């Protein structure tokens, strides 16, 4: 009998009891507990129905960063002990904070509360780990027993040993005895799912003040980390999205938003054994693990052996609350059908955390208080619900702490084993049926890891700037990258010194492969998926990346902390310069030159000519954006200016357009009907929130005037409907299934979008075009779906077989006298497919000319 484990479990049980909430008021007569959990689909109506209206100053990266701007700094923990008392800045009181109506903690009250806790308790440390899209502080709270600087440094060394030298960590007896169990709680990532913050604060306050021996012992051997609100912009405004209109819980694998980058840095620095992401609202409390398909790059045996019993412990904890609405929980792995609540993509915080060594769980509070409920329910009922939800959050955190403390030895051993398998290149074991209750063939997903990925240098690289961006992204996510010291041959290909190598014998090989592999067509395996099913930073980010299936690169390398500079002006002085728009960086450079007042011309849709007199400006933007200017050849081309763009688009597309440096004015049906003017606009972009049929006479006249002289670029169903109603291109749009999505193969044939574009694209709700009287810029390949989930809408209709060979992007002169480009793909989707941005930019410049 292991007496120490019994005592550890007893202490944790006493902690859980200490965290138990005060009894909440009973629900009103007629309420119905036990309503089945519900979930909104990942790609909501805002993608096509709601036009973004963010003013230019409020959209995070409203424009490309100005020349000379310093890059955003990454958070790393300080080399000091605990407590780490930080005097957090206090924000002015904001009576418009949506939390107030619910009786919850408004954002402006969080810093004063944390400052007071730090002053009152030597167990609480608070620090700022980043800033929101609108510049608000993001707080990390650490609760643990005091540590000297030397003790904290020893914890850091042990944490590094676990990842970098897992075999040595496994043998280290002092580490096994003294390493503090790290547990991370992420709260309020969706701004209008508030109570994660309040429940976490309840736990922090009780741990700070508790005087019992069980709590003291727990904090001697545990560090609890809490990101108190991951989305302060949304918390204040009562929106799911952040201040740039992004769902942060879809941004991992992309890291386009400062909030996701901040918690990425937190999970890497803290390397938790267990993490909870507190969400709402599903009618019944929901606690992961999830249904299949499971991410094929997980070490799933090491995850599910803890995730299921931990979830069941959290279920027992909420049941003990005694609320009718918390009599049970839904655990998708146990209770749902495949595809109903999956953990396939690494875009969600808990799924990303699994790749960083954690047992990650989404927890969904039961009782809705947002959307219609916020507007229509009496305040008394709203506050009753938030009280129950806050209890659920505190109970699940307490239960997770109990599990982590009771099973600390096994969690430590299994995190070490995850990293050991990666470093050794060991195959992931086949998990047998019955490994945990309910595990069967439908849960068995795995992959074969390649030996290495190779990112070529020199002329073999399609876009040096894209390659550098990809390398920096990998390194920021704690994927190990080296740079070859000399030329080498791998297989039958030769590579230059300076080539980047991702040796897949590394601790976090699962994350490396999840980001770089093509993915998998899972259409036949599950009937539906919640969110995206295909992504690939290798195929969609614009860089050339080769795969070595079995051979180890025969060259030593230098560890990379940042990609080498790629910008250059290679033409002789006195020569005109040329820049080909193949990548987002090229577009940013072009718009930066236009901002500097340089007169540019264009030869074809892609090549921009810079006069020799502007060489100094070219050198500045080459250095800033990593682009390469070569000597111009042939005619100078046609002069052009940066178009003024009116955009009825989704928030992610608005972000991407401004990220490329375009001047964008947001419009919609409502704004045009209210008198918005388009007289100085060169191109109208339509993908969300603009209906030509819905325009009044004044709005239609404004649009008609633009259509007669300017350009139109459309995307998706809303764009296709606008084209048909306005009578622009004689194309018929055929729509695939609304939730179909993934990476597709394409054939590039047109001179505007197609020329020089990558052979892959991304689709969500795919569209293809039939008819004549237009140019096919890009078409779906004979077998289009590379990775993702795309089923037909009906037998023989709407599937990838029907899309094969059909036009995916078209261009042409419109019946109104202007130019139009129509996208059936998603080149700007959630700012992820960065290698496709230039396609859209070329369409904008061409249509405006």
């Amino acid at each position: 009998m292991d007496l120490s484990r019994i005592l550890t479990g007893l202490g944790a049980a006493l902690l859980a009891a200490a965290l138990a909430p005060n009894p909440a008021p009973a629900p009103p007569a007629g309420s119905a507990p036990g309503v089945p959990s519900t979930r909104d689909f990942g790609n909501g109506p805002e993608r096509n129905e709601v036009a973004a209206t963010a003013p230019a100053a409020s959209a995070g990266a409203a424009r490309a960063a100005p020349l000379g701007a310093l890059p955003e700094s990454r958070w790393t923990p300080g080399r000091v002990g605990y407590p780490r008392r930080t005097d957090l800045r206090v924000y002015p009181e904001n009576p418009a904070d949506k939390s107030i109506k619910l009786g919850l903690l408004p954002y402006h009250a969080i810093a004063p509360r944390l400052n007071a806790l730090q002053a009152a308790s030597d167990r609480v440390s608070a620090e700022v780990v980043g800033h929101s899209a609108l510049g608000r502080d993001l707080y990390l709270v650490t609760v643990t027993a005091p540590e000297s600087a030397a003790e904290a440094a020893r914890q850091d060394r042990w944490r590094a040993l676990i990842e970098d030298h897992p075999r040595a960590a496994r043998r280290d007896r002092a580490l096994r005895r003294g390493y503090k169990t790290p547990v991370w709680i992420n709260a309020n990532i969706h701004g209008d799912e508030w109570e994660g913050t309040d429940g976490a604060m309840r736990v922090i306050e009780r741990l700070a003040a508790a005087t019992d021996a069980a709590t003291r012992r727990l904090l001697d051997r545990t560090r609890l980390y809490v990101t108190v609100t991951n989305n302060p912009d949304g918390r204040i405004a009562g929106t799911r999205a952040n201040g740039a209109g992004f769902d942060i819980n879809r941004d991992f694998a992309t890291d386009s938003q400062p909030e996701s980058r901040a918690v990425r840095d937190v999970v890497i620095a803290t390397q938790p054994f267990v993490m909870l992401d507190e969400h709402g609202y599903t009618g019944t409390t929901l606690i992961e693990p999830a249904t299949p398909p499971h991410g094929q790059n997980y070490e799933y045996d090491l995850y599910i052996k803890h995730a299921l019993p931990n979830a069941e412990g959290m279920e027992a904890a909420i049941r003990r609350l005694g609320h009718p609405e918390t009599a049970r929980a839904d655990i998708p792995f146990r209770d749902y059908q495949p595809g109903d609540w999956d953990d396939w993509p690494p875009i969600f915080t808990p799924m990303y955390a699994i790749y960083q060594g954690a047992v990650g769980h989404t927890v969904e509070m039961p009782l809705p208080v947002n959307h219609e409920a916020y507007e229509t329910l009496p305040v008394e009922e709203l506050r009753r619900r938030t009280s129950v939800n806050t209890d659920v959050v505190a109970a699940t955190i307490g239960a997770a702490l109990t599990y982590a403390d009771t099973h600390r030895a096994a969690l430590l051993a299994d995190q070490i084993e995850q990293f050991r398998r990666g470093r050794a290149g060991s195959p992931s074991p086949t998990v047998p049926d019955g490994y945990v209750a309910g595990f069967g063939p439908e849960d068995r997903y795995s992959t074969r890891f390649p030996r290495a990925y190779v990112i070529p240098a020199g002329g073999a690289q399609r876009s040096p700037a894209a390659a550098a961006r990809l390398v920096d992204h990998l390194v920021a996510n704690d994927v190990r990258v080296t740079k070859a010291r000399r030329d080498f041959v791998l297989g039958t290909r030769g590579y230059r010194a300076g080539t980047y190598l991702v040796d897949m014998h590394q601790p976090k090989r699962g994350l490396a492969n999840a980001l770089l592999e093509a993915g998998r067509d899972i259409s036949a395996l599950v009937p539906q998926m919640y969110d995206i099913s295909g992504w690939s930073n290798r195929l969609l980010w614009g860089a050339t990346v080769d795969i070595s299936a079995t051979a180890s690169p025969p060259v030593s390398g230098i560890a990379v902390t940042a990609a080498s500079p790629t910008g250059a002006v290679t033409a002789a002085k006195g020569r005109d310069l040329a820049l080909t728009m193949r990548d987002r960086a090229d577009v940013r450079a072009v718009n930066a030159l236009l901002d500097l007042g340089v007169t540019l011309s264009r030869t074809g849709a892609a090549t921009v000519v810079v006069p020799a007199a502007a060489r100094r400006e070219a050198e500045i933007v080459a250095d800033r954006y990593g682009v390469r200017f070569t000597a111009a050849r042939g005619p100078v081309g046609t002069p052009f200016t940066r178009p003024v763009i009116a955009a009825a688009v989704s928030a992610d597309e608005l972000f991407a357009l401004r990220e490329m440096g375009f001047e964008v004015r947001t419009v919609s049906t409502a704004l045009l009907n209210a008198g918005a003017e388009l007289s100085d606009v060169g191109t109208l972009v339509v993908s969300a929130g603009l209906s030509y049929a819905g325009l009044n006479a004044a709005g239609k006249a404004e649009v008609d005037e633009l259509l007669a002289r300017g350009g139109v670029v459309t995307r998706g169903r809303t764009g296709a409907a606008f084209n048909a109603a306005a009578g622009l291109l004689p194309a018929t749009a055929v729509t695939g299934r609304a939730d179909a999505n993934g990476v597709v193969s394409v054939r590039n044939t047109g001179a505007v979008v197609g020329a020089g574009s990558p052979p892959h694209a991304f689709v969500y709700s795919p569209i293809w075009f039939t008819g004549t009287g237009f140019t096919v810029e890009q078409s779906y390949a004979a077998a289009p779906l590379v990775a993702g989930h795309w089923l037909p809408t009906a037998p023989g209709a709407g599937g990838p077989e029907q899309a094969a060979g059909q036009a995916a992007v078209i261009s042409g002169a419109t019946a109104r006298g202007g130019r139009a480009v129509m996208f059936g793909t998603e080149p700007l989707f959630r700012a992820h497919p960065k290698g496709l941005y230039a396609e859209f930019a070329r369409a904008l410049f061409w249509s405006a000319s």
Side-chain angles (χ1 to χ4, degrees), residues 119-141:
S121 173
D122 62 2
R123 297 170 175 174
V124 178
S125 303
E127 52 196 310
V128 174
V129 294
H131 300 90
S132 72
L134 299 184
R136 297 184 174 98
D137 292 342
L138 303 174
Y139 309 120
L140 174 69
V141 173

Side-chain angles (χ1 to χ4, degrees), residues 307-621:
L308 183 58
N310 190 25
E312 291 174 335
M314 287 186 268
E315 179 184 40
I318 68 163
R319 189 180 295 123
R320 289 193 294 270
L321 294 172
H323 301 298
E325 299 94 339
T326 63
R328 66 177 181 87
D330 285 344
I331 299 175
F333 178 88
R334 182 191 69 189
D335 300 330
Y336 287 7
Q337 293 299 309
D340 282 354
W341 192 289
D342 66 273
D343 56 13
W344 178 250
I347 60 175
F348 310 119
T349 318
M351 281 64 261
Y352 178 78
I354 294 172
Y355 290 116
Q356 299 288 352
V359 177
H361 301 261
T362 297
V363 176
E364 297 273 354
M365 299 169 281
L367 301 180
V369 295
N370 57 2
H371 304 160
E372 183 181 0
Y374 187 94
E375 302 297 335
T376 61
L377 290 179
V379 170
E380 180 182 8
E381 171 59 11
L382 287 172
R383 294 189 175 189
R384 184 195 74 80
R385 292 185 177 197
T386 61
S387 177
V388 173
N389 290 336
T390 303
D391 288 352
V392 167
V393 172
T396 53
I397 294 173
L401 284 169
T402 297
Y403 185 89
D405 188 46
T406 304
H407 298 87
R408 67 176 301 275
L411 287 162
L412 170 61
D414 288 337
Q415 189 179 78
I416 289 172
E417 173 62 10
Q418 176 174 334
F419 296 148
R420 184 206 67 79
R421 290 179 189 175
R423 282 192 65 87
S426 301
S428 300
T430 300
V431 184
D433 291 354
Y435 179 75
V436 297
F439 187 95
E442 70 279 4
D443 294 298
R444 196 169 292 114
Y445 285 79
S446 62
T447 192
R448 179 173 294 179
F449 296 103
R451 185 61 183 83
Y453 289 97
V454 183
I455 306 173
Q461 180 52 248
R462 177 183 179 274
S463 170
R469 179 177 60 237
L470 178 59
V471 167
D472 285 339
H473 182 72
L474 293 170
V475 170
N477 282 277
D478 205 26
V479 172
R480 313 298 171 88
V481 182
T482 60
K483 186 165 61 172
R485 295 177 184 270
R486 56 175 176 80
D487 296 353
F488 66 97
V489 175
L490 183 59
T492 60
R493 287 203 58 178
Y495 294 95
R496 297 263 305 273
T499 289
Y500 296 107
L501 303 168
V502 181
D503 188 328
M504 290 297 286
H505 285 196
Q506 61 171 288
K508 296 177 182 176
R509 67 171 179 188
L511 179 58
N513 209 48
L515 295 176
L516 292 174
E517 70 175 349
R520 181 176 178 182
D521 179 356
I522 57 172
S523 306
L525 301 178
V526 290
Q528 75 282 322
M529 290 287 288
Y530 167 55
D531 208 282
I532 64 167
S533 311
W535 64 93
S536 177
N537 300 60
R538 174 170 64 89
L539 299 181
L540 297 177
W541 275 38
T544 302
V545 184
D546 297 334
I547 302 172
S548 175
T550 58
S552 175
V555 64
S556 62
I558 304 166
V560 174
T561 57
S564 299
T566 58
V569 178
T570 62
K573 290 185 178 180
R575 293 285 304 273
D576 288 346
L577 309 174
L579 176 66
T580 302
M581 289 189 289
R582 291 194 184 96
D583 184 71
R584 180 191 72 173
D586 302 317
V587 180
R588 290 178 70 169
V590 168
N591 279 323
L593 287 170
L594 291 168
D595 281 343
L596 291 171
V598 176
T599 300
L600 302 179
S601 57
R602 208 170 65 246
T603 60
T607 301
V608 173
V609 177
V610 183
R615 184 184 182 93
R616 179 56 186 152
E617 289 87 345
E619 290 171 341
I620 292 170
V621 300

